[in-house]
Amino acid sequence: MAMQVISVIGALMVLVAYGLIQAGTWRELDAGYLALNILGSLLLGIVAIEDRRVGFVLLEFAWAGIALVGVARAIRARRAARSL
């Protein structure tokens, strides 16, 4: 039961982030968007490990990795904006 709850929370985090970006509320480098994507995908990755779903493990940790690239881009963009 706990894994189901973790899975639903993770999925909701990713879906809310996606919905807010589609609605124009957030942009791709906003901290909230990146945080929800990373945390949600990590939660889903943990569930995938528990269920031994190799394809989903790959998908979720790749998703988190891609979001971490977004964090790096956001940090660089903020530094560049400060140096202007």
Side-chain angles (χ1 to χ4, degrees), residues 19-77:
L20 289 171
I21 209 166
Q22 290 302 311
T25 304
W26 281 348
R27 293 181 311 242
E28 68 176 16
L29 296 181
D30 285 349
Y33 171 73
L34 293 167
L36 281 181
N37 260 313
I38 291 168
L39 293 174
S41 62
L42 288 175
L43 289 176
L44 290 168
I46 290 166
V47 172
I49 289 170
E50 177 68 24
D51 287 345
R52 295 183 175 99
R53 307 283 181 182
V54 177
F56 286 112
V57 170
L58 174 64
L59 173 67
E60 295 309 330
F61 287 104
W63 192 280
I66 291 167
L68 286 171
V69 170
V71 170
R73 287 179 53 217
I75 290 169
R76 273 188 257 126

